Amino acid sequence: MAANMYRVGDYVYFENSSSNPYLIRRIEELNKIMVNPMTANGNVEAKVVCLFRRRDISGNLNTLADSNARDFEEESKQPAVSEQQKHQLKHRELFLSRQFESLPATHIRGKCNVTLLNETDVLAGYLEKEDCFFYSLVFDPVQKTLLADQGEIRVGSKYQAEIPDKLAEGEADSRVQEKLETKVWDPDNQLKDPQIDQFLVVARAVGTFARALDCSSSIRQPSLHMSAAAASRDITLFHAMDTLQKNGYDLAKAMSTLVPQGGPVLCRDEMEEWSASEAMLFEEALEKYGKDFNDIRQDFLPWKSLASVVQFYYMWKTTDRYIQQKRLKAAEADSKLKQVYIPTYTKPNPNQIMAPGSKPGMNGAAGFQKGLSCESCHTAQSAQWYAWGPPNMQCRLCASCWIYWKKYGGLKTPTQLEGAARSGSESTPRGHMTRQEVQGLSPFTRSEGRAKLLAKNRQTFILQTTKLTRIARRVCTDILQPRRAARRPYASINANAVKAECMIRLPKATKAPIKNRSIPRPSLATIVKDLAVQAPLKLKAPRGAPTPINRNQANQPRGGSGLLGKRPFDSAAGLPFSTNGRPFTSGMRTTSQSVIKRQKVNQGDAPNPVVFVATKDTRALRKHLTQSEMRRAARKPHLPVRIKLPPRPLATPILPSSTSEPIVLED
C-alpha cells in the first residue's frame, strides 16, 4: 500500500511508450481535473520536473559529460571500476532541468531515488542499489547546454577551516589586527547607554527631516508617519553608530557630521531604492526560480547587483507583503492533493512475444527464429521474452534485461549495436542509430570483433499494393494527382478519402473499361544484343605524350587510364583541347591543377548487396554530355542516351572487344 502511494517531491517512473525506457520525473504538484462537475470523479494530473538521460542529449554534450565525469573521478579519487561498470554507471547518470510538464498520474510505474552527486560518494555504490540515480549537471533543453548545478554541498577536507595553533600562556599575538578585521563599535566607550539612545533618536529625526526635503521620498512616503517609519529602519541606526565610532564617541562632532553644511544626510536601504515595478518583478522571479538569485538577476533584474538582490530579499521577508503571500500559498497548498494512490500496472506489454507457460512459437513468437538469445546477457532461457529494436532485426530481451532496459535506458553489457564501437558514446538501440552507424555495422565491412548478431541473414520484405489501391490510382486520378504527389513526397495523402471516392465511382467506371497501355517486352536475346551494342567505348590513346601535370602523373599509363586523375590534352593549331574537344579558356588552369583522386564506392556503405560501379570508360563518356543533357537523362532514366563525340581524323569505326559489329559514332 505504501509503495503505491505517491507524494509531492517523489522521484517516479513515467511510461510514455511501451517500447521506450521510462521517463524519470519529480512530482511538484498533484492536481485533480474534474471530468464531470456534477460528480466527484476526476483524473489526477501531476506537474513534474523533467530529468534527462544520456540518450536524450546530443553527442557533443555527452562528450562534455564524459569530461566532467573524468574530472570528478580524479578529484574524488574514485576506486577503479571495470568497463562494464563504467557502461552501467552512464545509465545511472541523469541531468536535471528547469522544464516542467503535466502528465497523467495513471502513467506512474514506480518510485526511484535521485541524489546530487557529492565528492564523498562512491560511484560503484549506485550500482549496488536498485532504482538509484545521481546527477551533477543541469541540462537546458532550449539552449542545449550543460552547466554545473549551483546547489553543491561542500563537504570535504578542502572546505574545512584551518584553525591556527593556540597561543601559549604569556605569548603575545604578533598578527596585525587592523589587517585581519575592522572595528566598527567599541563597547568600552565613554558614553552611557541613555546618551547613545538620545543620539539615535536625533539620528531618526534628522532622517525624517531629510526625507521631507527630498522630492522623490516625499512622493513615495507622502505622509509623516511613513517617512518616520522609513527613517527608523536599520540603515539609519547603522549610520548613526558608525558616525559615533568615526568621531571617537564625541557627541558634538557626531551631531555636526549628521547635519553637514549642505543639509541633513539621507540614508536609504534597498526597500526604498527599489520601485514598485521592480518589487513586482522580483516577486514574479522568486515564484519562478525560487531563491536562485543569479537567475533572478540575469533574467529579470539585470540592472541590479547580486548584493542588492540578496539584501532586498531579506528585507522583503520582513514586510506584510511576504506574510500575505505566505498565507495564500499555505491556503492553496491545503486545497491541493498531498498524495495519490496508483495501483500496480498489470496490463500485458505489447512487446511481449511469449507468455509464461506457453509453448514456443505462441503469442506472437511465430515470426521469431529459433535459437535466438538475449541481446544483453546472451541467455537462451527465460520465462518471458520481449521484442526489442526494429521488427525486421528480430532482437529480443529476457525478462530481467527488459526491466533493466525500461528503468535505466540501456543494456547491461556494451554491444556494437548499442554503439560500443564508438569510443565514449552512449548505448542506443538500433532503432535510434544514424544511417552512418547502420552502414558501419554492415556485414560486408571487414571489421574484426563485430557482434555475433551481425551474422544473421537479412530478411527481404516487399511492399505490394492491393488490387483496390491500384484501381483507385486509375479511377481517382484527379484527386490523387500522382505527378504532383511524386514531386512532393513529403506531403501526406489521405488514402481513406481516395478509397471512399473510389468505391463511389467504381460502379460507374466498370461500364467504361479502363484503357491499359500494354508495354511490349522484348525477348532475352534482344536485350543481351542491345546491351552488347550499347557497351561503353574505349577511347584511343593520343599519339603524343600527355603534358605532365605533376611528378605523379608522369609515371601513369597513357590513354584512358588518365581519366582517374586529370584528362590528357591534345593541341590543334596551338590551342589546347581537352578530350571532349572543348578548348580551354585563358582563365582556366591546366598544368598547375592538382590531381583529383576518385574514391571507389565501398561495398559496406551500400544499403543492398548489389553495387553498381561505373567504369573508367563510362565516366569518360559522361564528360561529353552537357548539363542539360545530364538533367534530361536523370529525369528519364528509361530512355537511351545518345552521345555525340568530337570529329576524329580517321573515319574508320572503332570496334569494341566484346563484339564484331561496328558501332557508328555520330559526328
Side-chain angles (χ1 to χ4, degrees):
M1 184 71 177
N4 295 335
M5 194 68 69
Y6 301 94
R7 299 174 177 84
V8 175
D10 289 345
Y11 290 91
V12 295
Y13 295 115
F14 272 92
E15 186 175 25
N16 66 337
S17 173
S18 60
S19 58
N20 291 337
Y22 292 140
L23 304 176
I24 298 180
R25 299 292 187 261
R26 185 182 68 200
I27 301 177
E28 290 294 314
E29 294 180 4
L30 292 171
N31 302 318
K32 190 172 184 180
I33 308 301
M34 301 302 297
V35 179
N36 188 358
M38 303 300 295
T39 62
N41 298 329
N43 300 327
V44 177
E45 215 173 50
K47 181 182 179 182
V48 295
V49 178
C50 301
L51 289 94
F52 295 88
R53 305 179 190 264
R54 276 180 171 260
R55 67 194 305 273
D56 301 327
I57 63 177
S58 63
N60 295 333
L61 295 182
N62 268 294
T63 304
L64 183 61
D66 291 338
S67 176
N68 181 76
R70 287 191 296 268
D71 295 341
F72 174 80
E73 292 176 1
E74 294 176 359
E75 293 178 0
S76 59
K77 299 179 181 180
Q78 293 287 328
V81 294
S82 62
E83 291 297 327
Q84 183 175 357
Q85 287 178 327
K86 289 182 179 179
H87 172 75
Q88 294 181 1
L89 278 174
K90 292 182 179 180
H91 301 157
R92 301 299 183 102
E93 184 178 8
L94 301 177
F95 303 100
L96 186 65
S97 73
R98 303 189 187 280
Q99 179 177 339
F100 292 86
E101 62 181 2
S102 296
L103 297 174
T106 53
H107 290 186
I108 296 177
R109 297 294 180 261
K111 293 182 182 180
C112 59
N113 185 24
V114 182
T115 57
L116 176 64
L117 183 62
N118 195 281
E119 64 179 10
T120 59
D121 297 339
V122 179
L123 291 176
Y126 287 94
L127 300 178
E128 301 173 358
K129 304 175 183 178
E130 288 291 333
D131 305 322
C132 192
F133 301 87
F134 65 88
Y135 75 94
S136 60
L137 300 175
V138 178
F139 173 61
D140 188 352
V142 179
Q143 302 294 334
K144 304 296 182 183
T145 56
L146 276 180
L147 300 174
D149 185 43
Q150 298 176 356
E152 180 183 3
I153 302 175
R154 297 185 174 183
V155 178
S157 58
K158 63 180 181 180
Y159 298 114
Q160 302 301 320
E162 296 181 1
I163 302 176
D165 297 335
K166 185 178 180 181
L167 296 176
E169 294 184 3
E171 184 181 358
D173 192 357
S174 59
R175 298 177 299 176
V176 181
Q177 298 295 328
E178 288 76 8
K179 294 182 179 180
L180 298 177
E181 57 188 1
T182 303
K183 183 184 289 188
V184 296
W185 181 257
D186 186 6
D188 300 330
N189 55 73
Q190 66 272 20
L191 297 179
K192 297 180 180 180
D193 291 344
Q195 292 177 317
I196 297 175
D197 294 338
Q198 290 175 358
F199 181 78
L200 295 180
V201 172
V202 173
R204 294 191 189 98
V206 171
T208 306
F209 179 64
R211 284 168 174 77
L213 296 178
D214 185 61
C215 297
S216 60
S217 299
S218 61
I219 295 175
R220 296 181 182 179
Q221 296 100 15
S223 60
L224 179 60
H225 70 276
M226 293 179 64
S227 299
S232 300
R233 299 184 64 84
D234 292 339
I235 188 67
T236 305
L237 303 181
F238 291 158
H239 175 67
M241 298 175 72
D242 187 49
T243 303
L244 285 176
Q245 171 67 21
K246 290 181 179 179
N247 291 277
Y249 300 94
D250 188 349
L251 293 178
K253 291 182 180 180
M255 289 289 186
S256 60
T257 305
L258 286 179
V259 187
Q261 293 292 335
V265 177
L266 177 58
C267 301
R268 290 177 177 173
D269 56 9
E270 297 299 333
M271 290 297 295
E272 290 186 84
E273 292 290 344
W274 286 44
S275 62
S277 58
E278 291 174 340
M280 293 180 64
L281 282 176
F282 176 80
E283 292 178 358
E284 181 182 351
L286 194 66
E287 182 71 20
K288 181 178 181 181
Y289 293 123
K291 292 192 294 184
D292 196 340
F293 300 116
N294 286 316
D295 290 347
I296 290 175
R297 175 182 173 273
Q298 182 177 357
D299 295 345
F300 285 85
L301 301 164
W303 59 89
K304 296 289 185 182
S305 64
L306 185 60
S308 175
V309 174
V310 175
Q311 290 179 12
F312 180 81
Y313 168 73
Y314 286 103
M315 293 179 183
W316 173 78
K317 290 185 68 175
T318 62
T319 60
D320 295 337
R321 177 75 174 174
Y322 169 76
I323 298 174
Q324 292 176 2
Q325 289 193 1
K326 192 173 182 180
R327 289 175 180 173
L328 290 175
K329 288 184 178 180
E332 185 180 356
D334 292 338
S335 61
K336 292 183 178 179
L337 296 176
K338 300 294 187 303
Q339 58 186 7
V340 62
Y341 175 79
I342 304 296
T344 305
Y345 188 77
T346 57
K347 293 183 179 180
N349 193 294
N351 295 275
Q352 181 177 338
I353 60 177
M354 185 169 61
S358 62
K359 297 181 180 180
M362 300 298 291
N363 193 14
F368 276 74
Q369 301 177 5
K370 296 182 179 180
L372 294 182
S373 60
C374 176
E375 296 295 330
S376 178
C377 62
H378 307 292
T379 183
Q381 297 180 356
S382 177
Q384 182 60 60
W385 293 99
Y386 295 88
W388 180 78
N392 61 313
M393 301 304 295
Q394 291 196 356
C395 302
R396 63 180 184 176
L397 297 176
C398 62
S400 62
C401 293
W402 176 259
I403 296 175
Y404 186 92
W405 159 256
K406 293 291 286 184
K407 288 185 176 181
Y408 305 113
L411 301 185
K412 294 181 180 179
T413 56
T415 61
Q416 189 171 0
L417 291 178
E418 278 198 318
R422 297 171 290 136
S423 59
S425 61
E426 175 56 12
S427 61
T428 53
R430 208 169 327 184
H432 304 282
M433 296 177 66
T434 60
R435 181 178 179 86
Q436 290 79 7
E437 295 168 354
V438 174
Q439 291 176 353
L441 297 177
S442 173
F444 298 97
T445 57
R446 298 179 180 180
S447 59
E448 299 180 359
R450 55 177 174 255
K452 185 186 296 185
L453 183 64
L454 295 179
K456 297 179 181 179
N457 297 328
R458 293 184 176 181
Q459 289 190 351
T460 305
F461 61 94
I462 302 174
L463 299 178
Q464 187 174 4
T465 56
T466 61
K467 292 183 179 180
L468 180 61
T469 304
R470 293 196 295 269
I471 294 174
R473 292 175 182 172
R474 299 293 186 89
V475 176
C476 304
T477 307
D478 55 337
I479 300 177
L480 183 60
Q481 297 181 355
R483 289 179 177 270
R484 181 180 177 86
R487 290 193 296 267
R488 302 172 61 191
Y490 52 87
S492 59
I493 299 176
N494 192 352
N496 295 329
V498 174
K499 290 182 179 180
E501 184 66 22
C502 176
M503 298 303 296
I504 299 175
R505 299 183 182 182
L506 194 58
K508 301 179 181 178
T510 52
K511 299 178 181 180
I514 302 174
K515 296 181 180 180
N516 295 329
R517 293 182 299 176
S518 60
I519 302 176
R521 299 184 180 276
S523 61
L524 180 61
T526 306
I527 295 175
V528 173
K529 186 176 180 180
D530 293 343
L531 291 176
V533 172
Q534 298 178 4
L537 303 179
K538 292 186 177 180
L539 300 179
K540 278 189 175 182
R543 295 183 179 181
T547 304
I549 296 177
N550 52 25
R551 287 176 292 181
N552 297 329
Q553 192 177 353
N555 300 327
Q556 293 180 357
R558 299 168 55 189
S561 60
L563 293 173
L564 288 175
K566 182 64 65 174
R567 291 173 291 169
F569 306 132
D570 293 335
S571 60
L575 184 62
F577 279 80
S578 63
T579 311
N580 58 3
R582 300 173 186 171
F584 287 99
T585 59
S586 59
M588 298 178 62
R589 293 184 297 175
T590 56
T591 60
S592 61
Q593 292 178 339
S594 60
V595 178
I596 302 175
K597 295 183 180 180
R598 296 182 181 269
Q599 299 180 354
K600 291 186 177 181
V601 178
N602 186 8
Q603 293 186 352
D605 296 337
N608 297 319
V610 180
V611 181
F612 296 92
V613 182
T615 61
K616 303 176 184 178
D617 300 331
T618 304
R619 290 195 292 268
L621 291 175
R622 289 175 183 169
K623 303 296 183 180
H624 300 284
L625 294 176
T626 62
Q627 293 184 357
S628 60
E629 291 174 346
M630 290 286 287
R631 288 195 294 266
R632 189 181 303 112
R635 287 194 297 267
K636 298 180 180 180
H638 59 282
L639 298 180
V641 180
R642 305 182 67 87
I643 303 175
K644 295 183 179 181
L645 298 178
R648 297 180 177 273
L650 298 178
T652 304
I654 303 174
L655 299 180
S657 59
S658 61
T659 180
S660 60
E661 297 180 4
I663 297 177
V664 180
L665 304 179
E666 295 185 359
D667 295 333

